Amino acid sequence: MTALERLQAELGTIVSVDPAELSAARADKSGWVAAGLPLAVVRAGTVEHVQATLRIASEWRVPVVTRGAGTGLAGGACGTDGSIVLSVAGMNRILEIRPEDELAVVEPGVINQQLNDALLEHGLWFAPDPASKAISTVGGNIATNAGGLLCAKYGVTREAVLGLTVVLADGSLLRTGRRTVKGVTGYDLTALLTGSEGTLGVIVEAVVRARAITAGETVTIGAVFADVAEAAAASAQVTAARIRPAVMELIDPVALALIAAHLGPAASAGLPLGWGAFLLLQTDGPAARAEAEQAVAVLRAAGGEARVSTDAASAERLLAVRRAAHPALAAHGQVLIEDVCVPRSRMKEMFDRIAEISARTGVPIPTIAHAGDGNLHPNFVIPVDRLRGDDDQVVPEPIWAAAGELFRAALDLGGTLTGEHGVGVLKRRWLAEELGDTSFDLQRRIKTVFDPLGILNPGTMFAS
């Protein structure tokens, strides 16, 4: 009996070998496509399905790639040749909401927006807010420690995870964390597993923190600057003034021009899209208006032209500029959305380095940033006629060369290779440069403790 036959005998119709489904499981939203074809896709619906899959995979030494909605941006959930793709997208129940404890218990396939819709009835919300919240899953957010637009004020995913239930490589069940506000018993395995990208275990349940919906109004500010360096410096000055916007997003002139063309004259009428760099801020809570007034004063003193909106319709028009960024870029080819983070005080320098790399290499790098926390998303747009389908070479080498320079520039400025997308497959070649030899070796050994056979997402984070 083969591993596939064993899977089919034990799990029946949830095991798919449909060529179209196998092929679709090879890619995520990063544009990377894994070589070869997976052995099977297991559409898990219960914890027992996950346990059985991992027991069989361990027995037959078959690699397992855990997958949710497939919205990742680092190639970390792509079904590699001969692997079992373990889909937990069907484990999508909200198991419990406890308003009195401000927490929820969910399965990994729950969509972010669905969780927030359910929490809204109780006056609560789940703070991690990736731009993909309408399609991304809570389990995927936890696996990558995802961030988003609200991190500077409300924190990244790790800060909203209280406990996890995880199936280990041998099929055994591990429960970590707690339901209490405080708890320091033993090592913090919940934090370790958050951001581990499927390399240590498969998340099958999560206890997440819910927040009371922020009281008061929301004020939106759209500001335009002559260039992105001015805008980056202004955003750092907002932070230095101890103003903490809920949202502070920066779009450079290259990206802004593409967005303006994408939206067209009718949709963009009245929006500040004609020139320069665009900085979007939102303040919320009881002090929103006072904070907005302070922010506007800082922005205008820094050379920006700022407009303020307190009504939902005009605020939505300003937010639409930021939301149009990816569709605008994707209209010109496959988008490689990169993700580096630097100290907020050094964002201007990072934008200068990006401009220098782009000018020297001739590679356009339209860039968007979560300016509130120094998280930049330099983008590379690959024309369809330049795409190849084999392994990493889906991205042309000149683009990887420019990206490598960009990553090292972030490290030189005291930053990191990834603020929220994860290492996945696409950044593993640079991981040791950031971690250093001692940490890199220790982290590999930690993986071995959890996954002694090396079957869990091999090739993600660490080269096989």
Side-chain angles (χ1 to χ4, degrees), residues 7 14 42 49 81 91 120 123 158 173 177 189 244 258 267 281 290 292 304 367 378 390 407 428 430 437 451:
L7 282 170
I14 69 167
V42 176
H49 292 159
D81 190 42
M91 298 177 67
L120 181 62
R158 179 175 284 120
L173 208 60
L189 296 182
R244 188 68 76 242
L258 292 171
L281 283 78
T367 302
D390 57 322
F407 299 151
R428 66 188 181 194
W430 294 281
D437 292 342
D451 180 23

Side-chain angles (χ1 to χ4, degrees), residues 62-145:
V62 179
V64 176
V65 176
T66 307
R67 186 176 177 87
T71 59
L73 294 167
C78 299
T80 51
D81 190 42
S83 67
I84 299 168
V85 175
L86 177 54
S87 172
V88 294
M91 298 177 67
N92 55 9
R93 295 179 300 159
I94 298 172
L95 301 173
E96 189 178 355
I97 294 176
R98 295 191 64 85
E100 65 274 26
D101 291 323
E102 295 188 337
L103 63 82
V105 183
V106 300
E107 291 183 326
V110 171
I111 301 293
N112 282 271
Q113 189 61 59
Q114 292 172 348
L115 175 57
N116 268 316
D117 290 343
L119 289 172
L120 181 62
E121 299 176 21
H122 304 277
L124 300 169
W125 66 301
F126 181 57
D129 180 27
S132 59
K133 67 180 182 179
I135 56 173
S136 63
T137 62
V138 175
N141 291 170
I142 296 171
T144 58
N145 192 24

Side-chain angles (χ1 to χ4, degrees), residues 24-77:
R26 297 169 56 218
D28 63 7
K29 293 294 186 183
S30 69
W32 187 74
V33 181
L37 206 64
L39 176 69
V41 174
V42 176
R43 299 186 293 261
T46 67
V47 174
E48 290 74 22
H49 292 159
V50 175
Q51 290 181 288
T53 301
L54 289 174
R55 281 197 299 267
I56 294 168
S58 291
E59 181 180 345
W60 291 86
R61 307 296 197 269
V62 179
V64 176
V65 176
T66 307
R67 186 176 177 87
T71 59
L73 294 167

Side-chain angles (χ1 to χ4, degrees), residues 136-188:
S136 63
T137 62
V138 175
N141 291 170
I142 296 171
T144 58
N145 192 24
L149 278 63
L150 301 173
C151 295
K153 186 168 184 176
Y154 294 106
V156 296
T157 299
R158 179 175 284 120
E159 294 162 74
V161 181
L162 295 172
L164 295 171
T165 302
V166 177
V167 178
L168 300 177
D170 63 359
S172 59
L173 208 60
L174 169 69
R175 297 187 188 278
T176 74
R178 62 198 188 279
R179 291 188 174 209
T180 55
V181 174
K182 298 162 71 175
V184 294
T185 307
Y187 295 124
D188 191 351

Side-chain angles (χ1 to χ4, degrees), residues 222-224 260 263-275 278 305-309 313-315 317-318 321:
V224 179
L263 290 176
S268 60
L271 294 175
L273 301 182
W275 60 281
F278 180 60
E305 294 183 10
R307 65 174 67 181
V308 179
S309 171
S314 57
R317 283 169 56 76
L318 290 171
V321 176

